[in-house]
Structure formats: C-alpha cells, structure tokens
Amino acid sequence: QSALTQARSVSGSPGQSVTISCTGSSTDVGAYNYVSWYQHHPGKAPKLMIYDVTQRPSGVPDRFSGSKSGKTASLTISGLQAEDEANYYCCSYAGSYTWVFGGGTKLTVL
Amino acid sequence: EVQLLESGGGLVQPGGSLRLSCAASGFTFNNYAMSWVRQAPGKGLEWVSAISGSGGTTYYADFVKGRFTISRDNSKSTLYLQMTSLRAEDTAVYSCARYPFKVVAKYYFDYWGQGSLVTVSS
C-alpha cells in the first residue's frame, strides 16, 4: 500500500486560510468516504480533527473543515492561529481492513 | 479523560524481539477496538495492526504479517504488540490508537497515545 501524497510544508499568516491536500488512489481515497485528518504536535499524541471526510469531532473548532474530490481530500483551516502550527496527517481506509496515511504536512504560522 | 500510555520500547538487535504495551484508562476498554500505528524517523504515519474489542479478530499490515502479534488483556485494560524478527526498518515510534467502536471497520482513530520508541540496530 503506497502512502497518500501530501505537500511537505505549507504556511500562512494569522487570520488567513490554508488548505492541505492529500492525494491517494482509486483503492483508498477515491474508493471510500473514510478520510480522516490528524493534528500532531511533536512529542504529543496526535489529535483527530476530521473524520469521514467532512465530520468534525466535538471540541474541534469550526475553523477546520474537510472535503474530497475524486482521489484528493483536503483539510482547510480558516482564521489561522498560532496554535494551529503542527504537522497534519491524512488517513484513508484502504480496503480489506487496512489503513493508509499521508506523509504529513508541516504547517507554519508566520 | 481517555488516556493511552505506551511502554516497552528500547534498543534491540536485528532479529530480536520486543513486546510493547499500551495501558488504557478513562473508558471501558473492552468496548473499543484498538490499533498500533508507527512513525519511522523523518517519515509519515504507518498503520501496523488492529484488534477488535473482544480480541477475537485481528488484522495486520503486510509488512508485519508473520512477525508481529497484536493482543489485549481486557481485565488489565492493556493492549500489546509482540514484535519478532525485527529489522532495521522497523525502527519507529509505535503508538496505540483507539477506534470509536468495538469492531474494526472503516473507521478512524479517535484517541492516540504519545508513543514508544523502538530502535533496531546492532
């Protein structure tokens, strides 16, 4: 199973919006609406931000939103805040009880 | 508060074995399927294995099949990963993660631990 493709880094200024993309294949992102996104501050436990492509767990600010088109899923963060600076990973169900993650995108808040 | 705390990592020689543990608290452990996910140095996350809440069903990534065994002791609220025939490429931080339901299905991981570092080197 190949990893999902994410840009290594993205940046934005406070208050701006950024979008992180995650490209997979017809056997994972393109096949299922089971994409999730995780925020990871190094040294801490990853945190679920989006599940089932667009769903936000309770407690996650509505500044975070998810979408999908074909084989590409996206995480958009609007109204960037300093605490949003972290690594973000996408994940997709890949069939046969397996999951595949992206390589991660480092978000820098300028 | 849901807490997952991994332990058991360390330095092991190629071909060696190691058992990781993940102590869970803050929820009814046997009501949730669990998983192991790893992150090699400088790399992204990689799903390793999953187990149902009862422990009766297990799943593995191809690259660990036949070498790693996932198990759980619901009386101790603890998840395990027995790793054998370890290779240099198994070097990673291993984290346990919880599925939102008792069965393993097309789900996400709603809580994670911080991880335990496993280094395979001579």
Side-chain angles (χ1 to χ4, degrees), chain B residues 1-4 24-27 32 98 110-112:
Chain B
E1 179 192 5
V2 171
Q3 289 196 340
L4 299 170
S25 61
F27 63 100
Y32 293 88
R98 193 186 83 166
D110 61 355
Y111 288 96
W112 297 63

Side-chain angles (χ1 to χ4, degrees), chain A residues 8 32 34 36 38 40 43-48 50-52 89 91 93 96-104, chain B residues 35 37 39 42-47 50 59-62 95 99 104-114:
Chain A
R8 297 276 312 236
Y32 304 99
Y34 297 110
S36 51
Y38 303 88
H40 188 205
K44 295 194 171 183
K47 178 184 177 183
L48 175 68
I50 296 288
Y51 67 95
D52 294 354
Y89 294 90
C91 176
Y93 180 66
S96 301
Y97 300 99
T98 64
W99 285 260
V100 62
F101 286 88
Chain B
S35 188
V37 178
Q39 184 172 29
K43 303 286 188 181
L45 298 170
E46 192 171 42
W47 176 78
Y59 303 95
Y60 297 93
D62 286 343
S95 298
Y99 289 97
V104 178
K106 308 174 186 71
Y107 298 135
Y108 46 93
F109 309 97
D110 61 355
Y111 288 96
W112 297 63
Q114 288 186 264

Side-chain angles (χ1 to χ4, degrees), chain A:
Chain A
Q1 207 76 36
S2 299
L4 306 177
T5 300
Q6 295 182 241
R8 297 276 312 236
S9 64
V10 66
S11 63
S13 299
Q16 287 186 332
S17 293
V18 295
T19 296
I20 299 171
S21 296
C22 167
T23 301
S25 69
S26 59
T27 60
D28 40 61
V29 176
Y32 304 99
N33 288 322
Y34 297 110
V35 175
S36 51
W37 290 90
Y38 303 88
Q39 178 189 66
H40 188 205
H41 290 102
K44 295 194 171 183
K47 178 184 177 183
L48 175 68
M49 304 303 286
I50 296 288
Y51 67 95
D52 294 354
V53 179
T54 62
Q55 303 303 300
R56 203 170 42 248
S58 60
V60 173
D62 59 6
R63 302 186 293 103
F64 291 83
S65 62
S67 62
K68 192 188 90 165
S69 178
K71 302 172 190 175
T72 298
S74 299
L75 172 71
T76 298
I77 309 170
S78 58
L80 267 180
Q81 299 182 4
E83 59 262 35
D84 298 335
E85 185 163 297
N87 296 308
Y88 290 85
Y89 294 90
C90 60
C91 176
S92 174
Y93 180 66
S96 301
Y97 300 99
T98 64
W99 285 260
V100 62
F101 286 88
T105 298
K106 179 177 174 57
L107 169 63
T108 301
V109 180
L110 302 170

